[in-house]
């Protein structure tokens, strides 16, 4: 029984890893919005964190982050390209570290919600799915401001947006794309996780 569960766990993780990589190399993974990028990769990260646990979420977040880092290095990542030139180490922390934490915390939040509301599968999945894009935005943008706010390219964007401080800059930068990420991840994440969770219990 334990071997069967391990095989199922590894199979699920492998499929979700492949999905992250597939999405990262299509228009579904990264959608450029000005200097920033809207990403739907939080969807498989959230699903994996809820179905397979926090460590799986951290692994999928790392894969997500590595694809983001690859874009930063290649020049396809907008501001992250300049961030990598400014400080490769801090860029790795921002691109990869933020996404690892996102997946890990998403799994922990979902697990906590399930313990508090054991009979509310949809509500728990909604909370877990919502946490992924919110955490991704908060952690990534928080690190961008903490590490690179004084970078000329960021300051140029700050002036363009007329942001009075870093907090306003984050709000204005995220804008509609952050709302869209959250809505899409909530809908898809909940719709996929709830039936799969019930199916896997059988």
């Amino acid at each position: 029984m334990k071997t069967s569960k391990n095989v199922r766990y590894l199979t699920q993780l492998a499929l979700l890893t492949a999905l992250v990589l597939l999405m990262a190399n299509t228009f579904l993974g990264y959608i450029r919005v000005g200097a920033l990028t809207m990403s739907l990769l939080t969807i498989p990260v959230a699903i994996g964190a809820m179905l397979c646990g926090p460590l799986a979420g951290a692994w999928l977040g790392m894969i997500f982050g590595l694809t983001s880092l690859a874009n930063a290095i290649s020049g396809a990542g907008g501001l992250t390209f300049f961030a990598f030139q400014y400080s490769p180490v801090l860029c790795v922390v921002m691109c990869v570290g933020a996404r690892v934490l996102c997946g890990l915390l998403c799994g922990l939040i979902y697990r906590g919600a399930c313990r508090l509301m054991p009979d509310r599968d949809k509500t728990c999945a909604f909370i877990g799915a919502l946490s992924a894009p919110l955490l991704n935005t908060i952690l990534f943008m928080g690190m961008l401001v903490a590490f690179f706010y004084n970078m000329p390219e960021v300051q140029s964007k700050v002036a363009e947006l007329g942001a009075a401080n870093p907090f306003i800059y984050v709000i204005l930068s995220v804008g509609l794309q952050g709302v869209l990420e959250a809505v899409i991840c909530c809908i898809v994440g909940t719709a996929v996780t709830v039936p799969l969770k019930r199916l896997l219990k059988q």
Side-chain angles (χ1 to χ4, degrees):
M1 182 64 73
K2 185 176 181 181
T3 301
S4 176
K5 286 185 178 180
N6 288 338
V7 170
R8 186 172 65 183
Y9 175 88
L10 291 174
T11 301
Q12 291 169 355
L13 196 56
L15 288 172
L16 287 165
T17 300
L19 180 59
V20 171
L21 292 172
L22 177 65
M23 289 179 65
N25 288 284
T26 66
F27 70 95
L28 292 173
Y30 295 98
I31 304 169
R32 285 291 298 274
V33 182
L36 296 175
T37 305
M38 184 174 82
S39 177
L40 299 181
L41 292 178
T42 52
I43 295 173
V45 171
I47 293 170
M50 292 189 286
L51 288 179
C52 303
L55 291 181
W59 165 263
L60 293 167
M62 184 184 72
I63 302 301
F64 172 13
L66 288 173
T67 66
S68 176
L69 180 63
N71 286 339
I73 295 171
S74 69
L79 280 178
T80 58
F81 171 72
F82 299 106
F84 185 79
Q85 306 304 313
Y86 189 84
S87 174
V89 173
L90 291 178
C91 186
V92 169
V93 173
M94 179 179 70
C95 289
V96 182
R99 274 54 186 265
V100 170
L101 281 174
C102 171
L104 177 67
L105 293 174
C106 174
L108 291 172
I109 288 170
Y110 175 71
R111 181 173 289 177
C114 288
R115 287 176 179 171
L116 289 172
M117 300 175 289
D119 300 322
R120 305 289 295 276
D121 291 349
K122 290 183 180 179
T123 302
C124 293
F126 181 87
I127 292 170
L130 178 62
S131 72
L134 291 182
L135 286 166
N136 180 56
T137 298
I138 292 168
L139 291 167
F140 181 83
M141 292 302 295
M143 290 184 185
L144 177 67
V145 167
F147 300 153
F148 302 108
Y149 190 69
N150 292 323
M151 192 172 68
E153 290 78 11
V154 173
Q155 284 300 307
S156 174
K157 190 65 179 176
V158 168
E160 180 184 329
L161 293 172
N165 55 58
F167 179 74
I168 298 299
Y169 166 68
V170 171
I171 296 297
L172 293 176
S173 294
V174 173
L176 181 61
Q177 76 179 62
V179 176
L180 288 175
E181 279 185 31
V183 170
I184 295 171
C185 191
C186 276
I187 293 172
V188 178
T190 303
V192 172
T193 301
V194 172
L196 278 180
K197 195 81 173 180
R198 291 173 180 170
L199 180 64
L200 293 171
K201 285 181 180 179
Q202 296 177 0

